[in-house]
Amino acid sequence: MKKKFTTIRSRITLTTITLCIFLSIAVSYISYSFYYKSVKQNMIRTAESSLTLLGSSIDSNIQDAYSFVRNCQANSFILNYLSSQGSQSARITASTYLKGSYNSYDGRYYIKRIFIASYKNRDFIQALASTNNQPFHSADDIRDLYFFDSYYSSPSYSYSEGILTTDGGSQYLPIIRPLYSQYNSDELGFIYIEMSPNVVTIPLKTAGTYQNNDFYLTLEDHSYVYSNYTLTDANPSYEITGDLSSIASFSDTIVKEISNANGKFVSISVPLAAEHCYITQLITVNTFYGQLASIIFVIVACAVITGIILHTIFNHMINHPVQELQVRMKHISEGNFKRDSSIEWQHELGDIGRSINDLAEDVKTLMDQRIRDENEKREYEYKMLQSQINPHFLYNTLNSIKWMATIQNAPGIAEMTTALSRLLKNIAKGTEKAVLLSAELSLLDDYFTIQKYRYGGTISLEYRIDDEAALSCLIPRFTLQPVVENSIFHGIEPKGTPGTITIHIFRKNDAILQIDITDDGVGMTEEQARQLLSENKNEKTEFFREIGVSNVHKRLQYEFGEDYGLRVESRLSEFTTVSVLLPFAPQEDIG
């Protein structure tokens, strides 16, 4: 957790310093760093934004060259020269205009040569940079170029041939466009421009933050790598291992994970204005943090004063609260779940603080509840053990009494001791928590046989079983006996007259089995009925001294959930019905 908070603070510091240079993306960058917590995402989006600015600069330079072409296509001096019949004055005027425009053109460093040729007189005028190494002696020299026809007839500017090289080793990008009459659509000639790769390399060179990265220029089917301030042919061979374009800020940005012989990279490609042209940056996956640190260093060097001010502000607004949250989480891990109101600030981090406090209180409540449940469970198990006092000795002794009663022709004593013996034997050998309902009823019959003789036959037990399949459902051992015992001692016995206990077994619905135990005894008030399930009283019964109806209710709810357990309905001087609710799941359907 400490490492996670430290990482968050580092990203906040990075975002703060980056604001000095990229103020326009400040808010989005801070929230991005804080919520997504991913250095890779931050680096990709930051690189994408910078690459978009770089692409805009390159597009701007190329558009300047296009503007110069359009000016020439619309200039009356040039068009007059092209439509004239070899007029020397028209040629001089057009040539003077062309050279003057070229010398005053701000983007002349991007244009190596401008060549305008006429179809009528097969003449040409041109403006040259002093470094040009490939002179043309006639318009036919240009028209003989292998790419002339495809460039000339293209509906827009084409770069299908990529960057070309003159015999002298100078690189250039050719532009060839037709020149039309200003009065009709007649073709009068063409304009040929050799554009320098500086339109790309100068923006890359002036962008100092890029010098340690690999950049590629894609011109239709040709790729070039930027190295040592020049563009050289590249034939990249790589395998695409993932597509990350979904995390890019702009829909036309292409972000992919690639691998080649040099390692793994993230490729970020931003389209240029020219169709099928891209500027691409490769970021080494293993050096994300190193590149990020380099960017931070450059930004700090450029804006250290503003960075310090903003860092101080954000340290107070964010870093300090994050440190407080870290301390609070440490206290929670040490077992201090007490609410700390000092981290509940009136901002987003305060919301996190409140959530942490709520979580701590919920954990404390859950732990306390778990401890209470475990204590109650242990207490119940202890009470169960209390009731099992040497049953082996007792049922062996009772078996001896049974045989003596049989020999002496006392069947009542034999039946009573046999029932008690079976009860004690069931206690001694039974380790399973649940038994079939039929077995539970057999145990109940043995218990009731004993009570019947004790009360001189004044009590009777009746069964109503609506669904025989219910007898194969599982029920926790000794669930029904405490309820029947309660009916005898607190329902029928106080009445002083004979009584009947009726056990009705039926399905409440598809999922619930209901067992109603009804006595016609003295009944009870609503308050007494409530206390029967809620109080854990020491009921002075004879079978399980410490196991009362309320314990049976809690045991069923622990086992099956809040929808199950006991329900009590009673009316004074008339009856009491205790309903046992269990899952209806015959044994053959289990598992």
Side-chain angles (χ1 to χ4, degrees):
M1 183 61 68
K2 181 177 180 181
K3 181 179 180 181
K4 182 179 290 186
F5 277 120
T6 303
T7 303
I8 294 175
R9 292 200 300 271
S10 300
R11 293 173 184 167
I12 292 172
T13 302
L14 166 65
T15 306
T16 304
I17 298 174
T18 306
L19 284 171
C20 302
I21 305 299
F22 304 107
L23 190 58
S24 62
I25 58 172
V27 175
S28 61
Y29 189 83
I30 292 174
S31 59
Y32 182 86
S33 298
F34 184 79
Y35 288 110
Y36 291 102
K37 305 174 184 179
S38 170
V39 170
K40 180 180 287 188
Q41 283 185 331
N42 291 341
M43 285 292 295
I44 288 175
R45 290 195 174 182
T46 301
E48 178 192 12
S49 298
S50 302
L51 204 59
T52 301
L53 294 176
L54 175 63
S56 297
S57 178
I58 295 173
D59 286 336
S60 177
N61 293 340
I62 295 176
Q63 288 297 328
D64 286 345
Y66 292 168
S67 296
F68 193 89
V69 171
R70 288 192 293 270
N71 289 338
C72 292
Q73 288 176 314
N75 183 261
S76 58
F77 297 129
I78 293 177
L79 297 179
N80 184 52
Y81 155 69
L82 295 175
S83 60
S84 67
Q85 299 296 328
S87 171
Q88 189 64 20
S89 61
R91 183 182 188 282
I92 294 174
T93 301
S95 177
T96 302
Y97 167 78
L98 180 63
K99 292 179 180 179
S101 298
Y102 175 77
N103 292 329
S104 61
Y105 171 50
D106 291 337
R108 62 184 178 276
Y109 300 108
Y110 304 139
I111 296 180
K112 304 165 68 67
R113 175 206 298 267
I114 301 173
F115 188 102
I116 295 177
S118 171
Y119 286 151
K120 288 189 176 182
N121 49 37
R122 307 184 69 80
D123 193 14
F124 68 89
I125 58 175
Q126 64 177 341
L128 301 173
S130 58
T131 57
N132 183 66
N133 296 316
Q134 183 178 355
F136 292 115
H137 302 289
S138 70
D140 292 336
D141 290 343
I142 296 177
R143 297 192 67 175
D144 290 339
L145 295 172
Y146 69 91
F147 56 84
F148 179 87
D149 291 336
S150 62
Y151 273 46
Y152 181 86
S153 60
S154 174
S156 61
Y157 297 91
S158 174
Y159 298 98
S160 58
E161 298 300 325
I163 298 176
L164 302 177
T165 304
T166 64
D167 294 339
S170 177
Q171 294 180 319
Y172 69 96
L173 287 167
I175 296 176
I176 302 174
R177 304 309 302 153
L179 296 174
Y180 297 95
S181 170
Q182 57 185 327
Y183 305 109
N184 50 50
S185 59
D186 293 342
E187 294 183 8
L188 302 178
F190 64 87
I191 180 171
Y192 168 85
I193 289 181
E194 292 179 355
M195 187 166 56
S196 170
N198 287 341
V199 296
V200 176
T201 58
I202 289 179
L204 282 171
K205 180 178 180 180
T206 56
T209 57
Y210 303 132
Q211 59 186 359
N212 295 324
N213 295 320
D214 291 333
F215 280 83
Y216 288 83
L217 174 67
T218 300
L219 300 176
E220 299 191 18
D221 296 329
H222 302 271
S223 294
Y224 304 90
V225 62
Y226 175 71
S227 178
N228 297 324
Y229 308 121
T230 59
L231 292 170
T232 56
D233 287 331
N235 186 20
S237 177
Y238 57 85
E239 178 184 359
I240 298 176
T241 59
D243 190 347
L244 303 178
S245 298
S246 60
I247 67 173
S249 298
F250 307 107
S251 59
D252 55 356
T253 301
I254 301 173
V255 184
K256 295 185 181 297
E257 289 183 329
I258 64 173
S259 62
N260 56 28
N262 296 323
K264 296 182 177 180
F265 302 86
V266 172
S267 168
I268 307 170
S269 298
V270 173
L272 299 176
E275 189 174 1
H276 305 306
C277 296
Y278 298 88
I279 185 73
T280 301
Q281 178 182 354
L282 294 187
I283 301 177
T284 304
V285 172
N286 295 332
T287 59
F288 266 111
Y289 288 96
Q291 294 184 17
L292 190 59
S294 300
I295 295 174
I296 294 175
F297 177 78
V298 172
I299 294 174
V300 170
C302 296
V304 61
I305 297 177
T306 306
I308 292 174
I309 295 174
L310 292 178
H311 175 69
T312 302
I313 294 173
F314 279 92
N315 184 66
H316 174 74
M317 295 176 60
I318 300 178
N319 283 359
H320 177 69
V322 169
Q323 290 174 347
E324 291 296 319
L325 292 176
Q326 178 185 355
V327 172
R328 175 62 180 142
M329 295 298 291
K330 182 179 179 182
H331 289 166
I332 293 175
S333 67
E334 293 172 350
N336 180 8
F337 299 101
K338 186 178 180 181
R339 194 174 193 89
D340 184 1
S341 59
S342 64
I343 63 172
E344 298 183 2
W345 306 282
Q346 297 302 316
H347 49 68
E348 289 80 0
L349 290 177
D351 294 338
I352 296 177
R354 278 184 285 275
S355 298
I356 291 175
N357 283 333
D358 292 341
L359 177 62
E361 289 183 340
D362 291 343
V363 171
K364 182 64 167 59
T365 300
L366 183 60
M367 291 176 61
D368 291 343
Q369 182 63 41
R370 183 63 180 271
I371 291 173
R372 286 194 297 269
D373 291 346
E374 289 296 326
N375 289 338
E376 290 184 6
K377 182 178 179 181
R378 285 195 295 269
E379 182 180 354
Y380 171 74
E381 291 173 349
Y382 175 69
K383 291 176 180 178
M384 286 291 293
L385 290 174
Q386 281 183 324
S387 68
Q388 301 177 18
I389 301 174
N390 201 5
H392 290 281
F393 174 78
L394 292 176
Y395 80 73
N396 288 333
T397 302
L398 289 170
N399 277 334
S400 298
I401 296 173
K402 166 193 170 185
W403 288 113
M404 291 178 65
T406 302
I407 294 171
Q408 297 176 12
N409 196 24
I413 296 174
E415 184 181 4
M416 188 173 180
T417 54
T418 299
L420 182 57
S421 176
R422 284 201 297 262
L423 276 176
L424 294 176
K425 189 173 183 179
N426 191 293
I427 295 171
K429 73 176 182 179
T431 58
E432 66 274 13
K433 293 182 178 180
V435 296
L436 294 177
L437 178 57
S438 58
E440 179 75 0
L441 294 179
S442 296
L443 184 147
L444 184 60
D445 285 337
D446 290 334
Y447 168 75
F448 195 79
T449 297
I450 298 171
Q451 296 300 336
K452 180 178 64 176
Y453 279 103
R454 175 181 175 180
Y455 285 93
T458 60
I459 59 174
S460 59
L461 179 64
E462 298 178 356
Y463 290 102
R464 289 170 50 202
I465 303 175
D466 294 353
D467 189 347
E468 293 294 333
L471 297 178
S472 62
C473 291
L474 293 178
I475 182 172
R477 297 176 72 227
F478 306 118
T479 294
L480 300 181
Q481 183 277 332
V483 180
V484 172
E485 190 173 46
N486 184 79
S487 298
I488 296 173
F489 291 164
H490 299 290
I492 297 176
E493 183 178 0
K495 185 173 67 167
T497 60
T500 301
I501 298 174
T502 302
I503 297 179
H504 183 199
I505 301 173
F506 61 96
R507 293 175 65 172
K508 182 179 180 181
N509 54 45
D510 292 340
I512 297 178
L513 171 65
Q514 182 166 333
I515 305 173
D516 287 348
I517 303 173
T518 304
D519 67 77
D520 55 0
V522 296
M524 62 182 70
T525 65
E526 291 184 5
E527 180 62 26
Q528 289 173 327
R530 232 178 354 259
Q531 291 178 356
L532 183 64
L533 299 182
S534 62
E535 292 189 0
N536 199 4
K537 302 183 294 183
N538 288 338
E539 304 175 21
K540 296 183 178 179
T541 63
E542 295 187 346
F543 191 71
F544 289 138
R545 180 169 294 277
E546 300 296 334
I547 304 301
V549 175
S550 62
N551 283 325
V552 173
H553 175 61
K554 292 180 181 178
R555 181 160 56 120
L556 292 176
Q557 290 200 327
Y558 288 156
E559 185 72 22
F560 303 117
E562 296 293 330
D563 293 335
Y564 302 94
L566 303 184
R567 308 290 185 269
V568 179
E569 181 183 359
S570 182
R571 190 176 301 158
L572 281 174
S573 304
E574 293 186 19
F575 72 92
T576 298
T577 297
V578 178
S579 298
V580 182
L581 302 179
L582 299 164
F584 184 84
Q587 189 180 36
E588 59 268 23
D589 295 339
I590 296 175

